């Protein structure tokens, strides 16, 4: 398991304030203390003047950590580089990587990731971005390369291209949870397994819908409430199933939902904003759902009339 840092710097969706930084640092330190050293971020994380704030905070926390970090490579920072329309050359994409390294104040990233594919709307740009990943890897700016929001067909294409350039594709990040387990996600997992690519599951808790904290009369603040209002009313069966299994296991609903991802062979990266989030998420480790419990959860999930909205940049 790793932890996601989308909320770190995002005021619009997650209500970030700079006063949260001290607790975010506690989250980082507690994660490392418990063996979690994968942190997912992006050069686009942070709203307005706080753009890049997630990376800056991670860099600060690495420098100030009093814990088990012996070298920067002990922390795996997985940064996603946005496929902005003005990033048209491989050199511009490499410069994006260098800017992330500057914000993080480290010499090398754990994983450099293409945040999304441009195949659906700017296919000519796609090759330049792939070449940028190759250059990052060849220059030693990243230890590994990965992609995000790629479907199975496009994943096969980039894997083949990178292999022809002598660069292994290490990871593929996709929305994956009990609310996002359609045919395409399962096909992508099969393709990843066949290629030796690790699937990283973002939003494993469905933006919080699978935590059991919310209902129609208790919605989150901000834009998430619109999505919750559409989907939550149809989740009674799934949430009841999660609650029942959680009670039998002595776990929380969040821990059961994350453990399902782990049992499917994915690396979940739930987001964390508080120490309580970290403590709860850590409880998803060290045990496994039974095959019957997995089937029970998936049967309940299939009954949900509405699933999570897929990322607009998700490709086939």
């Amino acid at each position: 398991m790793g932890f996601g840092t989308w909320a770190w710097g995002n005021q619009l969706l997650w209500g970030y304030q700079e006063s949260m930084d001290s607790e975010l640092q506690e989250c980082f330190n507690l994660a490392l203390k418990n063996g979690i050293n994968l942190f997912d971020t992006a050069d686009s994380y942070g709203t307005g003047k706080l753009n890049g704030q997630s990376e800056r905070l991670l860099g600060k926390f690495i420098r100030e950590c009093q814990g088990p970090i012996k070298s920067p490579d002990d922390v795996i920072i997985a940064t996603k580089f946005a496929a902005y329309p003005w990033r048209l050359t491989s050199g511009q994409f490499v410069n994006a990587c260098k800017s992330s390294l500057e914000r993080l104040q480290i010499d090398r990233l754990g994983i450099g990731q293409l945040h999304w594919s441009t195949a659906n709307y700017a296919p000519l740009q796609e090759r330049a971005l792939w070449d940028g990943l190759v250059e990052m890897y060849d220059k030693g700016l990243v230890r590994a390369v990965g992609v995000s929001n790629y479907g199975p067909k496009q994943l096969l294409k980039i894997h083949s291209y990178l292999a022809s350039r002598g660069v292994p594709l290490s990871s593929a990040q996709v929305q994956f949870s009990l609310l996002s387990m359609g045919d395409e996600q399962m096909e992508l997992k099969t393709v990843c397994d066949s290629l030796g690519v690790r699937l990283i599951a973002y939003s494993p808790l469905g933006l919080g819908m699978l935590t059991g904290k919310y209902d129609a009369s208790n919605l989150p603040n901000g834009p998430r409430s619109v999505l919750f209002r559409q989907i939550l009313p149809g989740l009674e069966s799934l949430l009841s199933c999660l609650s029942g299994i959680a009670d039998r296991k002595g776990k929380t609903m969040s821990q059961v939902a994350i453990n399902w991802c782990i049992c499917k062979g994915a690396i979940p990266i739930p987001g964390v904003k508080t120490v309580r989030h970290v403590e709860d998420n850590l409880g998803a480790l060290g045990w496994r759902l039974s095959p019957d419990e997995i089937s029970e959860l998936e049967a309940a999930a299939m009954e949900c009339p509405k699933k999570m909205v897929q990322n607009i940049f998700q490709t086939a």
Side-chain angles (χ1 to χ4, degrees):
M1 183 167 69
F3 285 146
T5 63
W6 181 17
W8 299 14
N10 190 305
Q11 295 174 317
L12 177 65
L13 196 64
W14 298 106
Y16 167 80
Q17 300 294 330
E18 291 185 29
S19 59
M20 299 175 177
D21 289 356
S22 60
E23 183 162 16
L24 293 178
Q25 189 161 16
E26 287 183 58
C27 291
F28 178 84
N29 292 336
L30 182 59
L32 282 180
K33 183 179 177 182
N34 285 275
I36 303 296
N37 68 340
L38 170 64
F39 296 88
D40 181 77
T41 183
D43 65 357
S44 60
Y45 284 179
T47 48
K49 64 184 176 70
L50 293 172
N51 190 53
Q53 181 75 347
S54 174
E55 291 180 331
R56 281 189 288 269
L57 286 173
L58 279 169
K60 176 178 183 288
F61 299 162
I62 291 171
R63 294 191 303 278
E64 296 179 359
C65 181
Q66 302 296 314
I69 300 178
K70 294 184 177 63
S71 83
D73 281 351
D74 289 344
V75 181
I76 301 171
I77 302 296
T79 289
K80 299 182 292 296
F81 309 112
Y84 291 135
W86 55 85
R87 290 178 175 168
L88 295 171
T89 68
S90 59
Q92 288 171 318
F93 214 49
V94 170
N95 286 339
C97 178
K98 290 178 179 178
S99 294
S100 287
L101 289 171
E102 188 174 329
R103 282 188 291 273
L104 287 156
Q105 294 192 33
I106 58 177
D107 296 324
R108 184 169 62 166
L109 288 167
I111 312 174
Q113 305 166 99
L114 175 51
H115 204 156
W116 64 83
S117 168
T118 65
N120 289 342
Y121 62 93
L124 295 179
Q125 183 185 7
E126 184 95 336
R127 181 59 63 87
L129 301 177
W130 292 2
D131 286 338
L133 290 176
V134 171
E135 287 187 37
M136 291 174 203
Y137 184 83
D138 287 345
K139 291 175 182 290
L141 301 177
V142 300
R143 293 162 64 188
V145 300
V147 294
S148 180
N149 298 307
Y150 267 59
K153 293 177 183 176
Q154 202 65 11
L155 186 72
L156 285 166
K157 291 178 184 177
I158 188 172
H159 180 274
S160 175
Y161 181 74
L162 293 177
S164 74
R165 300 288 304 276
V167 177
L169 180 64
S170 294
S171 62
Q173 189 174 146
V174 69
Q175 183 176 187
F176 188 73
S177 72
L178 284 163
L179 287 178
S180 187
M181 48 165 257
D183 292 343
E184 188 168 273
Q185 281 86 0
M186 293 309 180
E187 183 183 351
L188 180 67
K189 179 65 176 65
T190 300
V191 171
C192 283
D193 290 345
S194 71
L195 298 175
V197 174
R198 293 305 304 268
L199 184 75
I200 298 176
Y202 74 76
S203 294
L205 297 173
L207 297 180
M209 272 185 252
L210 298 176
T211 63
K213 298 174 188 174
Y214 304 103
D215 57 37
S217 61
N218 177 35
L219 297 172
N221 296 324
R224 278 192 299 160
S225 63
V226 177
L227 187 64
F228 277 49
R229 198 171 283 114
Q230 294 172 352
I231 297 176
L232 262 180
L235 300 187
E236 292 91 345
S237 176
L238 175 57
L239 294 179
S240 176
C241 183
L242 274 169
S243 178
I245 292 174
D247 288 345
R248 295 200 301 270
K249 294 277 190 187
K251 300 291 180 181
T252 66
M253 292 169 65
S254 296
Q255 290 165 358
V256 172
I258 293 171
N259 192 268
W260 175 85
C261 289
I262 295 171
C263 288
K264 302 303 284 189
I267 301 172
I269 49 168
V272 290
K273 286 197 302 179
T274 66
V275 168
R276 182 177 54 79
H277 287 159
V278 175
E279 292 170 341
D280 191 25
N281 292 340
L282 287 170
L285 298 172
W287 58 281
R288 291 273 173 151
L289 291 162
S290 71
D292 285 347
E293 288 165 337
I294 292 170
S295 297
E296 186 182 344
L297 285 167
E298 291 175 4
M302 293 295 286
E303 293 177 12
C304 298
K306 291 186 178 179
K307 307 295 190 293
M308 280 293 292
V309 175
Q310 295 304 299
N311 192 298
I312 58 171
F313 293 114
Q314 181 69 37
T315 62

